Structures are given as C-alpha cells and as structure tokens.
Amino acid sequence: MTPPTEILGEAVVLGRGDSGEARWRFSFLHAGEGLVMALRRQPGKRAGSAPVPDVFEIGEVQLVASAPGKPYFLRDYRPVQTFRELARNPGAFRLAGVLCAFYRLNLHPSENNALHFEALRQALQAFARRPDPDATLFKAVYRFASQEGFAVREDWAARLQPAEADDARRILSLPLDQIDVSPERTTALTRRLFQFLEETGAFRLPRW
C-alpha cells in the first residue's frame, strides 16, 4: 500500500531525538497509520510557531511528505492531552518511558493500529493519575502482545508457578487501586513476560 503524503489526526508522541544539527526526529503512534517518524526544525528563524511535541503527549498532527515514501515533516501540532502529572512521579515517568520504547520497537504495519493507540492512551492516563505504575506496565505489555495474537495466556501464563499465576490473574483482573501484589512481584512478572516475548523472536525489548 502506497503511504500517504499527508497524515492528519491524533497521535501519541513516543519519542524525540536529534536528527542532524538543526532538526528533531519524532516517533508517533498514529491512530490510523501506526508508527510514523517525522522531522521538524529545532527553534530558529524557520522553525515555525507550532508547539513542540513532548514525549507522552497526545496531539493533533499534520505530517507531510514531498512524495510517497519520502520522509515526513511535522507541519503542525496541537496538544490534546499532556499528562503533566508524570513530571511529579519519577517512577511512573520512567515506566511510561519503558512502555513507549516498547511500542516504538515493536509496532509494525498492522490492522491493530487503532487498538494499540487506545491501549497506550489508557496506559498513559493510568501512569499519570492512578496508583501502581508497575501494574500498569505489566497490563499494557500483556495487552499489546495479546492484541498482536501471541498466546500469552495459553502459553506464557500456563508456565507460571501457582503463586505467580495467581499474582498475574489478580493484576490483570483487578482495578489498579485494588491490586495487592507488591511492586517487586509485579516487576518480576513483567521481566518474565518480556523474556518470553523476546524468545518468540518477534519482539525487541527496551532498556530497563
């Protein structure tokens, strides 16, 4: 399918880095197009006046390319949800970064773009405003793998010891403010899940 020369609509800002001396390179999860990379000039005379996207934000984007398959440039951006609460919670901020990196590494052309977009939006809301960010990360990674068709329940969860399986069941089934599994046990489960996904050969893991 030929990529469009213009992309409009809501997108999550997954990451931002330098691209040369005068440009930023953004990675977005767009609700329709999935993972999209786009360039924008850093502040200066020709940078334009549109707000600069920040990591974890959800915004309305206008991305344009000179021809199909050419790099996208960020022409316009308007923040919709900013999750500023993350700046006051270092633990949640760090784990939100792990999740966004996981998405960035593992998003592929997929019919599940809209599902992934909504799942990540919900996870970022939870990181910013709900307790237990460790459980939020576990739930989100498990959900991503399930949406991609991996047998996390039938294969990975079935291999857990009874106590671990009970922890996983409670984390996945209960609201965040009712989970009584310790962050240490939740983190251990997340690491085991990451290991399983890496062993499938289809997933790349972020630094954590």
Side-chain angles (χ1 to χ4, degrees):
M1 183 176 178
T2 303
T5 56
E6 183 178 49
I7 296 175
L8 302 170
E10 287 193 349
V12 182
V13 185
L14 297 176
R16 183 180 81 183
D18 292 331
S19 180
E21 295 183 357
R23 288 175 175 169
W24 282 308
R25 180 179 177 87
F26 295 96
S27 53
F28 295 102
L29 169 52
H30 184 266
E33 299 296 328
L35 181 65
V36 184
M37 303 296 181
L39 302 172
R40 177 181 164 165
R41 289 184 179 276
Q42 294 184 11
K45 293 181 179 179
R46 299 177 61 187
S49 59
V52 177
D54 201 1
V55 178
F56 310 142
E57 285 184 348
I58 297 173
E60 290 278 350
V61 300
Q62 180 187 18
L63 311 178
V64 295
S66 59
K70 293 291 186 179
Y72 287 104
F73 285 83
L74 179 62
R75 176 172 290 176
D76 196 18
Y77 176 80
R78 181 178 66 84
V80 175
Q81 291 179 279
T82 60
F83 308 116
R84 298 187 188 280
E85 301 94 332
L86 284 170
R88 300 190 293 272
N89 188 336
F93 186 94
R94 181 179 68 85
L95 294 182
V98 171
L99 182 61
C100 284
F102 177 76
Y103 268 72
R104 189 170 65 249
L105 291 169
N106 295 291
L107 283 167
H108 304 290
S110 170
E111 64 212 20
N112 296 324
N113 291 333
L115 292 176
H116 290 324
F117 174 86
E118 185 56 33
L120 184 54
R121 181 207 294 271
Q122 292 175 10
L124 290 171
Q125 289 173 336
F127 279 127
R129 298 163 189 166
R130 302 290 301 281
D132 208 342
D134 303 271
T136 295
L137 178 63
F138 177 75
K139 284 173 178 276
V141 173
Y142 187 99
R143 183 176 181 181
F144 182 98
S146 296
Q147 288 174 338
E148 285 295 289
F150 285 81
V152 284
R153 182 177 65 180
E154 298 83 354
D155 193 353
W156 175 78
R159 302 181 191 181
L160 297 175
Q161 297 298 315
E164 295 173 320
D166 187 57
D167 284 347
R169 179 189 58 78
R170 297 207 306 278
I171 295 167
L172 293 169
S173 63
L174 293 173
L176 291 169
D177 56 1
Q178 296 180 22
I179 294 171
D180 59 356
V181 181
S182 71
E184 293 76 16
R185 300 209 312 266
T186 302
T187 297
L189 280 173
T190 305
R191 292 191 183 279
R192 288 197 60 173
L193 179 57
F194 270 151
Q195 182 180 8
F196 166 79
L197 295 177
E198 186 177 41
E199 288 171 353
T200 68
F203 286 84
R204 299 165 60 197
L205 301 187
R207 293 182 181 180
W208 184 24

